[in-house]
Amino acid sequence: MSAPEAEPAEAGPEAGAAAEVEAAADVETEEGAAAATDAPQKGNPWNDPRLPWHGNPRTADILLWAGIVFSGLFYWTLLPLRVSLIGTHPVVAELLNGSTESIISAAAFARDGDGSLIVVLLAAIPGLMKFDILYWLAGRMWGERFLMALPGSKRVAKSMERVRRFGRKFTWPAVLVSSFLPIPRAIIFVIVGWAGMRLVTFLVLDLIGVLLWAGLLAGLGYALGHSAVVAAKTVSHYSLWFTIGIVALTVLLTVRSQRRSVQGPGTDG
């Protein structure tokens, strides 16, 4: 006769505790391995969600980013000069920044016999368009990731799929009227670049839109005439105080916007 096989003993409390310890050790081992894998990614300074690219940047990424940063610095650096020039050399102010007040002032000076409307319109083209291609390129290269970093773009980002669906029925008119819309033109240019608009098409439509906007402002300045010249000269005379006021207001609005974004839409300010 063969001996009967012994039945396995029931697991007691000691065996259950040992199993739990072993399972916990396995979990810690897996977590440690995952942490070791993620460590190089977290240690990489380029893996910042605030940057528009993923991972290490290419040369094109760095050059485009430097150009966009320069455009912002250019605006702030020229702010004191922008205010002082509108009452003395408004066409120069147009060439530098294409500001609304400089176009109106230049047209008003033309009405007084100092300059011509053709020069006013031509000077507005480089002033308004000089950095536009950078944002079209940002949309083409980085898309929604860059768009979300722009101020005032979160609501627009929700409609990106509709933009792609409508195609040129949306993008073409958007570029034409971008100067007339109450949102930054840069957001429009990023969207149309992301949507696949060709560069030549973008430049032609942007030029037409800029001429429409400059023509409207020039017509206003020409109609105002001497009174606008007097106002522009007054602003230039007190340019320092106007500059301080603009900077203070801009900083106040920026801080307020950042606080609201941190608090969230459902939090009372």
Side-chain angles (χ1 to χ4, degrees):
M1 294 180 63
S2 59
E5 298 180 357
E7 296 182 0
E10 295 181 0
E14 294 81 0
E20 291 179 0
V21 171
E22 184 178 355
D26 291 340
V27 171
E28 291 179 358
T29 302
E30 293 176 358
E31 291 178 351
T37 303
D38 295 340
Q41 298 294 330
K42 293 181 179 179
N44 189 345
W46 294 114
N47 287 328
D48 191 329
R50 293 170 295 183
L51 295 175
W53 55 78
H54 296 278
N56 294 326
R58 301 163 296 176
T59 302
D61 293 322
I62 295 176
L63 291 177
L64 181 55
W65 184 253
I68 291 173
V69 171
F70 174 77
S71 69
L73 294 176
F74 185 86
Y75 171 82
W76 286 106
T77 302
L78 287 183
L79 188 57
L81 195 61
R82 165 181 173 174
V83 178
S84 63
L85 285 176
I86 63 171
T88 56
H89 301 84
V91 174
V92 177
E94 274 192 276
L95 286 169
L96 291 174
N97 52 51
S99 61
T100 298
E101 67 274 8
S102 65
I103 299 174
I104 294 175
S105 176
F109 272 78
R111 172 71 180 273
D112 264 12
D114 188 3
S116 68
L117 286 179
I118 296 297
V119 174
V120 172
L121 292 176
L122 292 178
I125 294 173
L128 288 168
M129 289 184 62
K130 58 184 175 294
F131 295 124
D132 293 353
I133 191 174
L134 295 178
Y135 293 94
W136 176 88
L137 282 171
R140 178 60 64 92
M141 290 176 57
W142 300 326
E144 292 181 80
R145 188 177 175 92
F146 178 73
L147 180 65
M148 293 302 296
L150 294 176
S153 61
K154 291 185 178 180
R155 293 182 180 179
V156 179
K158 296 179 180 179
S159 305
M160 293 293 277
E161 285 305 319
R162 275 185 287 178
V163 172
R164 188 183 290 276
R165 186 169 65 251
F166 287 121
R168 67 178 59 183
K169 293 181 180 179
F170 172 85
T171 56
W172 284 40
V175 175
L176 287 174
V177 300
S178 59
S179 297
F180 299 85
L181 299 177
I183 61 176
R185 296 171 70 228
I187 294 178
I188 299 296
F189 301 153
V190 173
I191 290 175
V192 300
W194 167 84
M197 177 180 286
R198 294 189 304 166
L199 178 58
V200 174
T201 303
F202 169 72
L203 292 177
V204 171
L205 293 174
D206 192 21
L207 176 61
I208 296 173
V210 162
L211 289 175
L212 290 174
W213 176 248
L216 175 65
L217 297 178
L220 176 60
Y222 196 82
L224 293 174
H226 184 70
S227 59
V229 173
V230 173
K233 289 182 177 179
T234 303
V235 170
S236 292
H237 182 72
Y238 297 101
S239 60
L240 175 62
W241 298 109
F242 277 104
T243 301
I244 293 174
I246 292 172
V247 172
L249 180 61
T250 303
V251 171
L252 178 63
L253 293 176
T254 302
V255 171
R256 183 179 179 184
S257 176
Q258 289 179 346
R259 285 181 177 177
R260 286 184 174 181
S261 62
V262 170
Q263 291 174 352
T267 306
D268 294 330

